[in-house]
Amino acid sequence: MLRLILVRHGRTSWNVQGRVQGGGGLDEVGRAQVAALTERLAAEPITAVYASPAWRARQTAQPLADALGLLVRRRRLLRDLDYGRYAGAFVADVMRDDPDLLHRWRTEPQNVTFDGGENLAALRVRIERFICDMALAHPEGTVVATTHDSPVRMAVAVACGLPDSSHREEWIKTAYASVTALEVEDGAVRLASHNDVAHLAGIQ
């Protein structure tokens, strides 16, 4: 059985600024979160570390990989949902320029395709493919993948058999540097834990 640990990146300066994601590096709090995450996971029998190509995800993965003596393997399948022309924009500006888009994203996310970007159906295809690739490459053992909130939400939806309309539900969201674990065996995907932040106690 494969145990696939999905980690959302630590907090970034863009998160604090209220931007639609698409960039930004870890801030001081994010780096503290990653240090705590590394301490927690370093004792796990991890055999491979993967990361989204985004800098914030690689910053989150590298300390753990260093502690384990492993390389960080980049996978584009783990990149964040592509918000197209709004990537990096302030949420307040999106609300002003296209309030209908923001309303639909919050109430019917399955029906939103971002201009110049993608939709949740495309994200689901990517995440299902990544899980399948991991099951083939690592049929047993524990693997870590650092990624973003939307990909982790989608992985949870895949494991729980949920539709894309569940994407914006409060319970499915993930905190910075949180741990979500899947168990993958014989084509079946099971959610073992979700949004675990016990290691972040005491960090702002």
Side-chain angles (χ1 to χ4, degrees), residues 4-9 15 21 77-81 83 102 104-110 114 119-128 130-131 145-176 178-182 189-191 193-196:
L4 178 58
I5 298 175
L6 300 170
V7 174
R8 184 184 179 185
H9 61 79
N15 292 136
Q21 275 294 6
L77 294 173
L78 289 170
R79 68 190 185 278
D80 200 0
L81 179 67
Y83 296 99
L102 199 58
R104 288 189 295 113
W105 176 238
R106 289 171 172 169
T107 59
E108 48 179 306
Q110 73 278 13
F114 291 95
N119 54 30
L120 291 177
L123 176 62
R124 181 179 288 266
V125 169
R126 283 201 279 118
I127 297 307
E128 287 180 335
F130 178 75
I131 294 171
T146 62
T147 181
H148 311 268
D149 184 28
S150 282
V152 179
R153 292 187 192 211
M154 185 57 74
V156 172
V158 169
C160 296
L162 300 174
D164 293 345
S165 58
S166 68
H167 194 78
R168 296 288 302 177
E169 293 181 12
E170 186 66 20
W171 74 271
I172 206 171
K173 71 180 183 180
T174 62
Y176 307 123
S178 61
V179 171
T180 293
L182 306 181
V189 183
R190 188 180 75 84
L191 182 64
S193 66
H194 176 52
N195 195 36
D196 186 347

Side-chain angles (χ1 to χ4, degrees), residues 5-7 33-50 57-72 142-146 179:
I5 298 175
L6 300 170
V7 174
Q33 291 170 335
V34 168
L37 172 76
T38 298
E39 183 177 357
R40 173 180 177 174
L41 294 181
E44 296 273 355
I46 295 164
T47 56
V49 177
Y50 291 84
R58 290 185 283 121
Q59 281 183 291
T60 301
Q62 194 63 61
L64 177 61
D66 290 344
L68 297 171
L70 299 171
L71 296 175
V72 176
T142 302
V143 170
V144 168
T146 62
V179 171

Side-chain angles (χ1 to χ4, degrees), residues 14 18-21 85-94:
W14 282 28
R19 292 179 182 265
V20 177
Q21 275 294 6
R85 70 187 183 95
Y86 285 118
F90 288 101
V91 174
D93 291 340
V94 180

